[in-house]
Amino acid sequence: MSSIITICCLLLTVGIPAILNIFAYPISKKLSSRLSDYIVKICAPTVFAILSVYRNFKFVGYKDLKSQLPEQFLIMSNHQSLLDIPVYMNFLRDRELRFVAKAELGRHVPLVSEMLRAHEHALVPRTGSPSVAMKTLDAFAQRVVERGQIPVIFPEGTRSRDGKLRSFYAAGFRRILDKASMPVAVCALDGGYRISTLGGIIRNLHNGSYRVKILKVYPAPTSKQEQVKILEEGKELIQAQLDQWHQEGESKK
């Protein structure tokens, strides 16, 4: 019974705004942007509240280093699921976050596509000329600086299907910092890979959890060497945090 209630609540919470946004975007980008604001600021926290009440699914946002976050910074994080986007929006709901995502997400993905386009996230093509991708990131970096927004990048470049950390790619990370020098907050999240498919949702949503934590805040890098150092150290920090969380999970079984 609780599963049916959960589905109905989620459909009412995000389904209606998502459908409205599909029709709004071609007509008015401004209206679509307002609907996207509503989805981010109202719907995302409500979804986690519904899951907590009816499925005992916990969202855990660690506040340890939140007070150390500067006015503007870049988030570097591992990537496990499309749900990583609302997770970060819920965790830092007092900030305007803008994500670096693959261009394919800007088309035909319910709830996500219109929001990404209306809010002008970086939709980077994965095929074709690399110069097109770099120009997309250049324009994105300029926008976030002008608007005081928080850019978020997943250096793995794709979602981890099993929760294991993949190789980090430096190009996008370095390009943004070259064009928009700012501090870097290294963050880790975990739990998304367990519910990234329909089967995973059925098996793992009940009594599951999604965790996100700020691990370290670096000053704005001033050289290529400092950028590479942050990328390498950040990956190690994320891996160590994931190992700790996974060990804790195993010990509870």
Side-chain angles (χ1 to χ4, degrees), residues 6 9-10 13-14 39-61 81-93 99 111 189-192 195 205 207-212:
T6 302
C9 289
L10 292 177
T13 301
V14 299
I39 291 169
V40 168
K41 296 175 182 178
I42 305 298
C43 295
T46 303
V47 164
F48 287 106
I50 291 169
L51 294 178
S52 175
V53 171
Y54 293 108
R55 304 303 296 163
N56 197 35
F57 185 88
K58 304 298 183 185
F59 168 75
V60 183
S81 165
L82 277 178
L83 292 174
D84 295 348
I85 293 176
V87 161
Y88 273 115
M89 289 176 170
N90 188 49
F91 181 52
L92 296 170
R93 66 181 69 176
F99 291 81
L111 183 65
L189 54 75
D190 191 45
I195 54 172
L205 189 60
N207 291 327
S209 66
Y210 220 129
R211 297 187 279 194
V212 59

Side-chain angles (χ1 to χ4, degrees), residues 22 59 74 88-89 92 142 173 176 214 217 233-234 241:
I22 290 172
F59 168 75
L74 179 146
Y88 273 115
M89 289 176 170
L92 296 170
Q142 182 178 347
F173 174 77
I176 293 173
I214 303 164
V217 181
E233 286 187 1
Q241 184 61 68

Side-chain angles (χ1 to χ4, degrees), residues 27-167:
I27 299 171
S28 170
K29 186 177 176 181
K30 186 175 182 180
L31 175 58
S32 180
S33 181
R34 288 179 178 175
L35 279 168
S36 298
D37 284 338
Y38 176 81
I39 291 169
V40 168
K41 296 175 182 178
I42 305 298
C43 295
T46 303
V47 164
F48 287 106
I50 291 169
L51 294 178
S52 175
V53 171
Y54 293 108
R55 304 303 296 163
N56 197 35
F57 185 88
K58 304 298 183 185
F59 168 75
V60 183
Y62 296 87
K63 299 180 180 179
D64 307 42
L65 298 183
K66 263 193 169 183
S67 62
Q68 295 184 22
L69 293 174
E71 184 175 348
Q72 191 172 40
F73 55 94
L74 179 146
I75 293 175
M76 183 183 89
S77 170
N78 62 312
H79 190 23
Q80 294 187 353
S81 165
L82 277 178
L83 292 174
D84 295 348
I85 293 176
V87 161
Y88 273 115
M89 289 176 170
N90 188 49
F91 181 52
L92 296 170
R93 66 181 69 176
D94 58 330
R95 308 285 188 126
E96 279 194 64
L97 273 56
R98 294 295 182 267
F99 291 81
V100 177
K102 60 183 179 181
E104 292 87 338
L105 293 180
R107 300 187 299 273
H108 314 306
V109 182
L111 183 65
V112 174
S113 294
E114 286 72 28
M115 183 187 71
L116 290 177
R117 286 184 289 164
H119 275 169
E120 296 186 292
H121 296 256
L123 297 175
V124 182
R126 301 179 70 178
T127 58
S129 171
S131 64
V132 175
M134 293 301 104
K135 288 178 181 178
T136 300
L137 290 173
D138 289 348
F140 174 69
Q142 182 178 347
R143 286 198 303 273
V144 295
V145 168
E146 291 174 350
R147 300 172 184 178
Q149 296 165 339
I150 309 301
V152 183
I153 189 166
F154 303 115
E156 290 167 284
T158 189
R159 290 167 279 167
S160 171
R161 302 291 184 178
D162 56 7
K164 295 179 180 178
L165 199 60
R166 297 174 179 269
S167 298

Side-chain angles (χ1 to χ4, degrees), residues 188-202:
L189 54 75
D190 191 45
Y193 73 98
R194 296 181 181 275
I195 54 172
S196 61
T197 64
L198 180 59
I201 291 172
I202 294 171

